[in-house]
Amino acid sequence: MKIKAAVTHAPGAPFQIEEVELAAPQKHEILVKITACGVCHTDDAARQQVIPVPLPAVLGHEGCGVVEAVGPEVTEFQPGDKVGISFGYCGRCHNCMTAHQHACENFNAINFGGVQPDGTSRLSALDGTPLATFFGQSSFATHVVVNEASAVKVQYDDIDLALVGPMGCGIQTGAGAVLNRLRPEFGSSIAVFGCGTVGMSAIMAAKIAGCETIIAVGGNPKSLELAKELGATHTINRKEVDDIVGTIKNEITDGGVNYAIDTSGVPDFVKKALASCRFMGTAVVLGATGDVTFNIQAELMGDAKSLIGIVEGDAIPKLFIPKLLDYYKKGMFPFDKLIKFYPFEQINEAFEESGSGKCIKAVLKML
């Protein structure tokens, strides 16, 4: 079938909305008419080839929509079902079979390799040129074909389906790091570096978990105000405070936080996150970060600290996304306050405003 998709032809090039061909769903796949798709830093990293995905490609990995058709042997979905879409995984490796799909041994090949889990692509240009798939979905498009394992059924009729898309990556990454992996003790302390989608989700999750001290570190005054509304007890403007670590350890807490999360991907803030932790504290890296140099004795082992990386919030999306939606309905996880909607045709503007900090979470509406 012919669909419209935003195609990336060259590194750093603007998205071009074109008519392309989408093949029918195969075994265990579903055809989804996309309602909306979140704009994520990972999409831009792929467009800029920081993450080397094959080009030309159709990016987009935070889709949601309505099932229009199902392929052979699909058992979980039927036409008319509302779904969110998350990352792809093989379901056969040791990590997948021990409920760690986020650590699938074939994760990179499936999500960044440009093909579906079976090694083929469902997308092509009108002249027959194959188009690379992203995260097994390529949701910067009006329709996608995706493996049913990556889809999450949305049971609520009173939740705007367009809100569900960004839960498939950025939101579950931040919230899951706190609720699934760190599982902070009630009354503990946490610092979150970066007040974008991932950081704000971590802040909301920390409030749900009962953290007593929640410190938001960022550079946008409006975002810092929103962080306080969402659960932060303290904020630090990195542009105004010279000694961020000292402020956390000596002014806000008595010796440092129990947990720190960096969502910025900036090496210096990874170091600051670790330095902000108290003895036996844990620092988490969630941003795509390059080389970082540590003095292991002085900065890590000497204080019995831990430094860990977490992928996709250590989440099982089919279980975790419904849980977050339940928190949202109860008023405990107001992630809608992060979102600004854009028409699909304004995809380049959405990326520009997302990158400049004019919006926290840009979401494209296809309809």
Side-chain angles (χ1 to χ4, degrees):
M1 63 184 289
K2 289 182 172 60
I3 65 168
K4 286 187 176 181
V7 182
T8 299
H9 286 279
F15 295 97
Q16 296 184 20
I17 296 181
E18 304 172 6
E19 193 172 64
V20 303
E21 287 281 353
L22 178 66
Q26 303 300 308
K27 284 184 179 181
H28 302 294
E29 293 179 343
I30 58 177
L31 171 67
V32 179
K33 183 177 182 180
I34 294 295
T35 299
C37 183
V39 167
C40 180
H41 175 70
T42 305
D43 294 303
D44 198 49
R47 181 171 63 142
Q48 303 295 340
Q49 291 290 281
V50 175
I51 298 174
V53 302
L55 298 178
V58 177
L59 303 176
H61 65 288
E62 294 182 342
C64 61
V66 179
V67 177
E68 285 200 341
V70 301
E73 300 183 25
V74 170
T75 59
E76 188 177 351
F77 301 98
Q78 60 185 7
D81 285 342
K82 298 177 182 178
V83 296
I85 309 172
S86 191
F87 57 88
Y89 55 92
C90 73
R92 299 183 302 274
C93 69
H94 174 80
N95 290 342
C96 283
M97 291 192 293
T98 52
H100 296 290
Q101 291 95 331
H102 66 280
C104 172
E105 294 168 17
N106 300 295
F107 188 96
N108 287 344
I110 291 171
N111 293 284
F112 304 127
V115 293
Q116 297 290 94
D118 67 359
T120 64
S121 176
R122 304 288 172 266
L123 287 164
S124 61
L126 295 184
D127 65 3
T129 302
L131 297 173
T133 303
F134 194 57
F135 269 76
Q137 56 178 285
S138 293
S139 288
F140 289 160
T142 55
H143 294 75
V144 303
V145 167
V146 64
N147 192 288
E148 64 175 330
S150 298
V152 179
K153 193 174 293 186
V154 179
Q155 304 284 6
Y156 296 110
D157 291 328
D158 56 348
I159 292 179
D160 181 1
L161 181 58
L163 292 172
V164 176
M167 304 196 84
C169 184
I171 290 174
Q172 81 173 353
T173 293
V178 175
L179 297 175
N180 295 331
R181 184 68 179 274
L182 289 181
R183 300 185 179 186
E185 293 183 11
F186 183 82
S188 58
S189 55
I190 187 169
V192 178
F193 289 74
C195 292
T197 304
V198 177
M200 293 294 202
S201 299
I203 287 168
M204 289 186 282
K207 183 179 180 181
I208 291 172
C211 290
E212 182 177 349
T213 302
I214 304 172
I215 306 166
V217 183
N220 185 321
K222 289 184 178 179
S223 295
L224 289 171
E225 280 300 313
L226 180 57
K228 292 180 71 174
E229 182 181 338
L230 297 177
T233 59
H234 301 77
T235 60
I236 297 175
N237 189 326
R238 60 177 172 78
K239 296 179 180 178
E240 298 176 355
V241 176
D242 292 329
D243 186 3
I244 294 172
V245 174
T247 300
I248 292 174
K249 298 188 77 169
N250 303 320
E251 297 180 23
I252 301 176
T253 70
D254 182 17
V257 290
N258 300 109
Y259 312 97
I261 295 176
D262 178 70
T263 69
S264 71
V266 177
D268 183 55
F269 281 99
V270 173
K271 290 176 70 69
K272 283 181 168 61
L274 182 62
S276 298
C277 291
R278 65 184 304 108
F279 191 86
M280 294 183 66
T282 299
V284 175
V285 180
L286 296 184
T289 310
D291 293 341
V292 185
T293 301
F294 292 102
N295 182 312
I296 297 299
Q297 168 62 31
E299 298 178 74
L300 185 68
M301 188 272 288
D303 285 338
K305 295 179 182 180
S306 300
L307 177 65
I308 60 174
I310 300 174
V311 177
E312 293 288 354
D314 207 350
I316 301 173
K318 288 180 185 289
L319 299 177
F320 191 55
I321 290 175
K323 183 182 294 185
L324 292 180
L325 289 174
D326 188 47
Y327 284 138
Y328 170 69
K329 279 184 63 68
K330 293 176 180 177
M332 300 168 66
F333 193 77
F335 71 97
D336 57 317
K337 294 182 179 181
L338 309 178
I339 291 174
K340 179 179 179 180
F341 290 110
Y342 296 79
F344 185 32
E345 292 74 17
Q346 293 181 13
I347 182 171
N348 289 301
E349 179 183 343
F351 268 81
E352 181 180 343
E353 294 197 352
S354 180
S356 67
K358 288 184 179 179
C359 72
I360 294 176
K361 188 62 179 182
V363 176
L364 303 170
K365 277 194 170 183
M366 305 306 172
L367 304 179

